[in-house]
Amino acid sequence: MFGKLFKYLFYLAFFAAIIIVIARFGFSVSYIPLKIHTKYFKQANIVLNGYDVIKYINEKKIQKGLSFYSLKWDEFNWLFSTSGNKKLFKSNPQKYIPQFGGYCGYLVTKNIAYPCDPKIFHVYKGKLYLFSSESKKEAFISDIDNQIAKASLNWNK
């Protein structure tokens, strides 16, 4: 009796483990149609994994913000590296928010909301664009005005 019960429990645990592995690695970061994305790319309700958006635009550098200089704006948490950067953002957030919610700009042109790598970015005409890979960044900036127009059309649907 215990042998049979053990056998069933073993198979149950085995199949549960397979399902967990598939769910974790098979579907962990997938393409999300634009219609069901969140407004900004975030993790744990912190936009851009906590990188300071002011640094991107004003200094063309990346730097993690500190929770000490956090600000809740537009229902999301934004982190800044200095109190001055927090004040700049608070005075004019529209100037600093990432385009297309911080999702990969190139894939937004394909009507897909795909998480960016916050370390791969481009600032163009004072606006911040983020990408999931260097190749997608290069494809986007090679014809940037047309790509922005395409992505904007998809984003605003």
Side-chain angles (χ1 to χ4, degrees):
M1 168 134 174
F2 285 111
K4 211 174 203 183
L5 179 62
F6 179 75
K7 182 179 174 182
Y8 289 126
L9 287 175
F10 173 78
Y11 285 124
L12 180 66
F14 179 74
F15 288 116
I18 289 173
I19 290 169
I20 289 168
V21 168
I22 290 171
R24 170 65 177 101
F25 296 105
F27 306 109
S28 63
V29 177
S30 59
Y31 291 103
I32 304 166
L34 278 179
K35 292 181 180 183
I36 60 171
H37 68 288
T38 59
K39 190 169 185 175
Y40 299 103
F41 170 61
K42 59 155 182 78
Q43 288 185 336
N45 210 32
I46 297 174
V47 176
L48 295 180
N49 296 346
Y51 283 92
D52 184 339
V53 292
I54 305 299
K55 286 279 189 183
Y56 283 109
I57 294 178
N58 289 351
E59 299 177 33
K60 313 260 186 312
K61 293 181 181 177
I62 61 169
Q63 184 175 346
K64 282 274 195 173
L66 305 170
S67 58
F68 186 75
Y69 301 120
S70 67
L71 173 70
K72 186 164 189 146
W73 179 80
D74 200 16
E75 300 180 29
F76 292 89
N77 295 311
W78 302 75
L79 300 184
F80 304 93
S81 55
T82 67
S83 62
N85 285 0
K86 179 180 172 181
K87 287 177 187 173
L88 278 173
F89 182 85
K90 197 172 182 180
S91 70
N92 188 5
Q94 295 299 326
K95 178 179 179 181
Y96 297 104
I97 59 172
Q99 301 304 293
F100 317 121
Y103 290 96
C104 176
Y106 177 78
L107 290 172
V108 172
T109 67
K110 308 294 184 206
N111 209 24
I112 296 167
Y114 190 81
C116 71
D117 176 342
K119 296 174 184 170
I120 303 173
F121 71 98
H122 184 72
V123 176
Y124 179 69
K125 295 184 179 178
K127 301 290 182 184
L128 173 61
Y129 300 89
L130 293 131
F131 306 94
S132 59
S133 69
E134 284 292 336
S135 62
K136 296 210 175 21
K137 173 185 172 182
E138 294 305 317
F140 188 87
I141 65 176
S142 68
D143 187 20
I144 195 162
D145 291 318
N146 286 329
Q147 297 285 24
I148 290 170
K150 251 195 265 186
S152 296
L153 187 64
N154 288 339
W155 188 255
N156 294 318
K157 283 183 185 177

